[in-house]
Amino acid sequence: MSRLGTGMRHEIAAFALAVLLGVMSSGACTSVNAGAQSDSAEMNQDASRAAVFNGDSAYRYVAKQVEFGPRVPNTPAHKLAGDWLASELRRHGAQEVIEQPLTLRAFDGTQLQARNILARYNPDASERILLLAHWDCRPWADEDKDEAKRSLPVDGANDGASGVGVLLEVARQLGLKSPSKGIDILFVDAEDWGSEGDEDSWALGAQAFAANPPVKGYSAKEAILLDMVGGENATFRREYFSEKAASDLNASLWNIASRLGYSSTFPNQPGSAITDDHVRLIETGIPTIDIIEYNPANGGFNPRWHTSADTMEGISSITLQAVGDVVMTYLRNNY
Ligand code: AHN
Ligand code: ZN
């Protein structure tokens, strides 16, 4: 969403070409063994069938978060929602749920009482994947066209609650059927108390997790960030930093989407370069992708982004189902 220098534009052109070649080399494959997860011993079903994931359940998890009110750090709604998130993860059978309390200094000097919440399935397994989403809300709807609303917090139905809602439904499914390898679900705080043009002011919870993980020597083989995954008619493209750090993981997920019939929601195309929580994990050496709504045809993010309209009215269980099916199928095939 920012202006790019000439060098960056060359890099993006090369990236677009690489993705195009990837599409050309994988697009014609129709056999069951096509694609990146075919070498997995865990592949549990034929390639065109989705793993079990309930998009209506994910939708209710989004609505439940919004009912607390805006989950802005230092507010009662934030505290109560955080307690509820941790209790849900415990209820869904995570062997460990670790709360990481944080005091973070925002760009405007505010001291934020924040917390990251980490749920671990099979905590002793060495091969692990990390799934994450931010759970806080932006304190200002500063993209609203109505100036009077710009000082109010957002509901964050899409920006925050959607990714968390999908991951709570993933947790529920893991509680019903345990994975054979390690899966961690991380809800990061204080992503959205940022200032445009100040890259370091965003993703404070993810920065704290990366600098000082609540598990000594924490590591994962790969990670998936979900951000703004509930918008009606949303489309997801292969984000630039994700592609640079984890092109194989991107390819696997977009291939699964294609096999499940979700190519219009997941066009196999390069997206933009987006500063988000995943960049902080990439910096620590964990290859991480960001599944984030981005559509160049309507200016990038969802039109409700950082406005007073980021409410449940903008949330589609169809989009949540598509994202959940893709992620859950990847998990069942590989973990
Ligand atoms: C910026 O706009 C700098 N980053 C997008 C990350 C974000 C904000 N995700 C949700 N809100
Ligand atoms: Zn935001």
Side-chain angles (χ1 to χ4, degrees), residues 1 134 159 191-192 199 202 227-228 274-276 292 301 305-306:
M1 302 300 284
H134 81 87
D159 190 358
E191 188 277 335
D192 233 343
E199 305 286 287
W202 304 88
D227 193 6
M228 305 194 277
I274 298 167
T275 303
D276 207 345
I292 184 166
F301 292 155
W305 177 69
H306 291 183

Side-chain angles (χ1 to χ4, degrees), residues 51-179:
V52 178
F53 178 92
N54 187 325
D56 293 322
S57 172
Y59 183 95
R60 288 192 291 274
Y61 274 132
V62 179
K64 172 79 183 181
Q65 291 171 77
V66 172
E67 283 164 18
F68 282 100
R71 282 82 62 217
V72 172
N74 302 346
T75 67
H78 178 265
K79 163 86 175 87
L80 291 170
D83 292 347
W84 172 76
L85 291 173
S87 74
E88 277 303 288
L89 293 167
R90 283 189 197 97
R91 189 166 78 82
H92 294 320
Q95 286 86 0
E96 291 179 6
V97 176
I98 301 167
E99 300 183 49
Q100 180 179 35
L102 301 164
T103 302
L104 302 167
R105 193 192 138 87
F107 74 93
D108 58 1
T110 308
Q111 297 285 336
L112 308 180
Q113 298 307 321
R115 83 179 116 161
N116 294 332
I117 304 169
L118 175 67
R120 313 196 76 204
Y121 291 84
N122 295 335
D124 298 328
S126 56
E127 191 174 337
R128 351 196 22 89
I129 186 168
L130 172 63
L131 311 170
L132 70 154
H134 81 87
W135 70 276
D136 62 304
C137 291
R138 185 156 181 79
W140 321 281
D142 47 351
E143 298 284 335
D144 207 288
K145 62 184 185 322
D146 180 350
E147 205 185 322
K149 292 182 176 157
R150 289 181 200 156
S151 61
L152 300 173
V154 301
D155 264 4
N158 195 32
D159 190 358
S162 66
V164 170
V166 168
L167 294 183
L168 285 171
E169 171 60 8
V170 168
R172 192 177 74 86
Q173 294 297 339
L174 297 177
L176 294 171
K177 182 183 163 201
S178 181

